[in-house]
Amino acid sequence: MSDITEQLLDTLATYPGTPDAACMTLPPQAYTDPGLYEIEVETIFKREWLLIGRANDIPDPGDWFTMTILDEPMLIVRGADGAIRAMSNICRHRYMPIALEDRGNAKRFVCAYHGWVYGTDGRLVAAPLMEGSLAFEKKGCALPEYRLEVWQGFIFVNLDDDAPALAPQLHEADAMLAHYSNADHVTGFSYDKIWEGNWKLATENGMEFYHHMGLHAATLEEAMPAKGAWVEPAPESGRFAHTHCSYSAHGSYKEGAMARFIPGEDVFTELEKTSSYAIGLFPNISLAMSVDSNNWLSFIPLGPDRTRVIGGYIVQPGYDAAHPEGAAQRNQLLYDVNEEDAQATWRLQKVLRSTKAAPGPLNVREGTCAQFYKYLGRTLAGDRVPGLQAAE
Ligand code: FES
Ligand SMILES: [Fe+2]
């Protein structure tokens, strides 16, 4: 391990023992060092549950999409039995990817190389002209599966076959989300782009409202001013950080692109109706909710300085069809906001190798970032955190 990686781990280990309000930004090398990135891949991304899409985007049997996480190409399919599976997108014959497009609907998958045919449950259905092969046995040629769970309508996968189940880890988040109907929402706007920056820059940006007053001055600040943001106490599990931002008193959220719609019975608390609620679900997820919608993003690393960002805006079923103009206006706004965040990520990444780049103090509205750094400290450098072993 390089000296820089060693130093970064030592620094990360100091965060869990530091009060949120005393935390500084991560050192610049934390976003550029290939050694730390390798540790993140092994310790976080090969072990944690990763958000890759929405169940409502593949509603019918045979609906599928592809996704690659690290070096693992996946074919995510809703089977004839209604279950969603994440299967290896590699033919059991001679490795050809089975689905070659991004998404579609299929009764069967036919490999483009030699025509082997798989069912939507991954079983090999047919293999042409294989008579005479002594090694061939149809049953043994099903596509291997990855762990998959659907939580609040979001599809998660895990590269670790032995990972503990996801849902029990998120019961505190479930309680916070009880009134929001994430599971029933449908996609109003989809997002899938590459941001030229480290996944942690994108992730921490997605969990604080303070940057509305700068980066989103022309888009979000009027409706959700940064000064109206505050951080909620960290949950005991340490699985996420959460924050609220009050809508502006001028009520621009009542009309136009930020208009809110109370669906069905009004079960919402005053706080839920008058503020946006954001959860940064560790390691790499941002959920920003209002009573009628959720703007979600998942930051999937492609390397130390590149991130695939997938996400979207989910809404009440039927809402967009009933409000086409509002939906179009909102989609444009969301696209613009994501572009602002993408550009910030890229600008930060470009300067992080400077010898003069140094950590700065966090605003109290960025306590979510402090809690994210603590998660990184516990996860990546737990053996160096004083007292952590004893406490567990
Ligand atoms: S590689 Fe798929 S059929 Fe040969
Ligand atoms: Fe932003």
Side-chain angles (χ1 to χ4, degrees), residues 90-98 110-118 127-128:
I90 301 175
C91 184
R92 294 301 313 279
H93 178 221
R94 278 175 51 206
Y95 307 125
M96 179 62 92
I98 293 154
V110 182
C111 178
Y113 207 172
H114 313 89
W116 284 27
V117 182
Y118 298 88

Side-chain angles (χ1 to χ4, degrees), residues 348-383:
L348 301 179
Q349 191 70 35
K350 275 209 316 187
V351 300
L352 286 168
R353 291 176 197 278
S354 162
T355 55
K356 302 293 186 195
L362 295 177
N363 185 281
V364 291
R365 291 165 188 77
E366 296 166 306
T368 42
C369 299
Q371 291 166 32
F372 174 51
Y373 302 159
K374 290 175 188 200
Y375 158 83
L376 293 173
R378 292 192 306 270
T379 311
L380 300 173
D383 54 340

